[in-house]
Amino acid sequence: MSGARSRGRKQGGQTGLATTSSPTLEDGFESPVSDGSGLSGIAPLPGDVQAGGPKQPGEASGAARAPGTDRSPKKKKKKKDRFYKRFTYQTLRGYRPIMNPSHVVIFFALAGAYLIGVGVPILLATMDVVTYSVRYDDAGTLKNFTQEERAKLVTSGEGVEYSMTIEVDKEMRAPVYVTYELGTFYQNYRRYVRSYDPTQMHDGDLFPGTSSCEPFLYETASGLDPDESLPEQGAILPCGQISHSNFNDSFALSSSIPALDVSIDDSDIAWASDREHLYGNVTAVNFNQIEAYRGGNTSTLPLNQDEHWMIWQRPAGQKTTRKLYGRVMNDIPEGTDLTLTVFNRYNTYNFDGTKSFVLSTNSWMGGKNYVLPGFYLACGGLCWLVAALFLAMSIGGARGCCFGLRMPGDTSRLSWVVEAKLKARATA
């Protein structure tokens, strides 16, 4: 150590620079560095004692520093250590509210007011929605038939046509949405949802489709074996069970008011992203053409132009499937009698499914749904009930009533307070 210091003094005397002692690496300091002049020096740690303080970047070698400019990191390090310790032991400063009875009552009262304030407008919007639903799978000429007979009638030829009457007793403002609903259809089954080939429906050059479409790859009895007599050996485009079960009932509306046009407009009912990106200008091949193997409707339009097919390709998330069929673009006055003409072709009788025709208006919250406003109102009422209960306990506990209940936040119940009282009584 002394040798290193003497060598440092010798070098300083030869070069005319003011240097200090140069500790060695064994003392825990950094290695020697060069100052660019061919001379080597020692880079001391911050806080090393030199003439004028530690050397700063850009400062000339040996230049003295003004007093009071010590930038020692010890204070910062202590602050960091304190922060890490507080963080490790979870003793950081923060707001810790003391929940006394008044705070609890105010909190639940405000929460209840907020929830009810949100639920009431949603409820009013839902109540303004006008909806008429008519079940038609067992109506008209099919009323007196069994399920097996109905299945044979609707799947043979062009199906069954009949009419029904819908009495509108409340004004329906345009646009009036026309939807159909299938009960117990379960379109959300995992294998059903995966049974399609997106590449085939977009590009149209894949015959047959991928294995996810099995057993709806070919327009044959098994669905898995090709048929040389059919185009593309009977390969189906679009393949899969979703397309195979395409809905093929159709509807028409007429009004008791001759001047009122209630025709169903089925344009622009599919998502724009589906028309422009998801499906291509692809023509269907061997798609529900043979009546014996037909599962639903076929398609004579390119896939990205068949609106009803694109609507059907989006599976429902619940067992009851509701799909948009079109819109009535005129207001329907109160007291109007609508005549619904149904072309029943879709077979839901084999699994005891139901079919309904639905007319509905809309609101800023969507269709008629009492679940969401009911949830808000129920939670808000529960919050108010809890607030009233705490208020009663607070008042009753303070006055010594309310079935002997003590006031919430009563410190006389604390264990150490109780022990102190017991000790005081014992020593008395």
Side-chain angles (χ1 to χ4, degrees):
M1 185 71 180
S2 59
R5 293 181 182 274
S6 61
R7 285 194 298 272
R9 292 192 188 96
K10 186 176 181 180
Q11 291 177 358
Q14 291 174 352
T15 57
L17 297 176
T19 61
T20 60
S21 61
S22 303
T24 61
L25 294 177
E26 288 79 358
D27 294 331
F29 292 89
E30 295 182 3
S31 60
V33 296
S34 174
D35 60 358
S37 60
L39 301 177
S40 62
I42 300 298
L45 290 175
D48 189 16
V49 180
Q50 295 186 9
K55 185 177 178 180
Q56 299 298 323
E59 188 176 84
S61 176
R65 264 202 309 144
T69 57
D70 185 15
R71 299 182 182 180
S72 175
K74 290 184 179 180
K75 295 182 179 179
K76 295 182 180 180
K77 188 175 182 181
K78 288 182 178 179
K79 290 183 179 179
K80 289 182 179 180
D81 292 342
R82 293 173 187 172
F83 172 78
Y84 293 146
K85 184 177 291 185
R86 290 197 302 267
F87 179 79
T88 304
Y89 289 96
Q90 295 295 303
T91 58
L92 293 173
R93 296 178 181 179
Y95 178 65
R96 301 175 183 177
I98 301 175
M99 299 303 293
N100 56 37
S102 59
H103 292 168
V104 175
V105 170
I106 292 173
F107 171 77
F108 279 104
L110 292 178
Y114 170 77
L115 293 171
I116 292 178
V118 173
V120 169
I122 299 177
L123 178 63
L124 296 177
T126 298
M127 294 175 63
D128 287 338
V129 175
V130 183
T131 301
Y132 295 97
S133 179
V134 178
R135 181 176 173 178
Y136 69 89
D137 61 287
D138 58 352
T141 56
L142 299 176
K143 188 175 183 179
N144 298 321
F145 290 93
T146 63
Q147 294 288 76
E148 293 77 9
E149 293 172 339
R150 291 169 181 169
K152 293 179 181 179
L153 288 172
V154 300
T155 56
S156 60
E158 295 298 323
V160 181
E161 177 183 350
Y162 50 90
S163 299
M164 304 175 65
T165 301
I166 303 175
E167 297 178 0
V168 179
D169 54 7
K170 189 176 181 180
E171 181 184 8
M172 304 183 75
R173 297 184 178 180
V176 179
Y177 293 90
V178 178
T179 59
Y180 58 88
E181 184 177 282
L182 306 179
T184 64
F185 192 80
Y186 294 99
Q187 204 181 17
N188 55 355
Y189 272 11
R190 179 172 58 88
R191 290 192 62 185
Y192 183 91
V193 171
R194 293 182 177 182
S195 184
Y196 74 102
D197 186 350
T199 305
Q200 187 192 50
M201 294 184 293
H202 185 271
D203 300 334
D205 55 356
L206 183 61
F207 292 99
T210 60
S211 60
S212 61
C213 292
E214 295 178 354
F216 302 96
L217 289 173
Y218 296 93
E219 188 82 337
T220 57
S222 65
L224 299 173
D225 301 323
D227 187 347
E228 300 293 339
S229 63
L230 297 175
E232 302 295 340
Q233 298 182 352
I236 302 173
L237 192 162
C239 68
Q241 190 174 6
I242 302 179
S243 298
H244 178 75
S245 60
N246 188 22
F247 186 77
N248 60 343
D249 285 359
S250 56
F251 312 99
L253 281 175
S254 60
S255 172
S256 59
I257 304 176
L260 179 61
D261 181 16
V262 290
S263 58
I264 301 175
D265 181 13
D266 60 357
S267 61
D268 294 331
I269 60 175
W271 290 17
S273 59
D274 292 356
R275 296 193 301 265
E276 298 171 3
H277 305 288
L278 190 58
Y279 306 115
N281 189 17
V282 178
T283 304
V285 179
N286 301 318
F287 180 39
N288 284 332
Q289 296 291 336
I290 302 176
E291 182 177 327
Y293 311 135
R294 186 176 65 191
N297 198 15
T298 185
S299 179
T300 58
L301 299 172
L303 297 183
N304 61 351
Q305 299 179 22
D306 193 337
E307 302 270 348
H308 294 291
W309 177 83
M310 285 186 281
I311 289 287
W312 182 259
Q313 284 294 121
R314 287 195 168 272
Q318 299 178 347
K319 68 175 184 178
T320 300
T321 301
R322 178 177 286 192
K323 304 284 186 178
L324 180 63
Y325 188 83
R327 305 181 188 87
V328 177
M329 304 307 296
N330 296 315
D331 296 342
I332 302 177
E334 179 182 350
T336 305
D337 291 336
L338 299 177
T339 300
L340 170 65
T341 303
V342 178
F343 299 90
N344 193 338
R345 308 182 188 92
Y346 197 69
N347 183 15
T348 59
Y349 304 102
N350 289 341
F351 55 90
D352 293 329
T354 61
K355 296 190 291 185
S356 301
F357 177 85
V358 183
L359 284 175
S360 178
T361 58
N362 213 347
S363 70
W364 60 273
M365 277 300 297
K368 186 176 288 295
N369 183 7
Y370 287 101
V371 175
L372 184 61
F375 177 79
Y376 274 107
L377 295 178
C379 292
L382 182 62
C383 288
W384 277 359
L385 180 62
V386 173
L389 179 62
F390 273 94
L391 181 62
M393 291 174 61
S394 175
I395 297 175
R399 296 181 179 179
C401 59
C402 194
F403 305 102
L405 295 175
R406 290 185 175 270
M407 181 176 179
D410 188 1
T411 57
S412 64
R413 286 291 190 179
L414 296 175
S415 60
W416 55 87
V417 177
V418 174
E419 291 177 359
K421 290 181 179 179
L422 293 177
K423 290 180 180 179
R425 291 178 183 176
T427 57

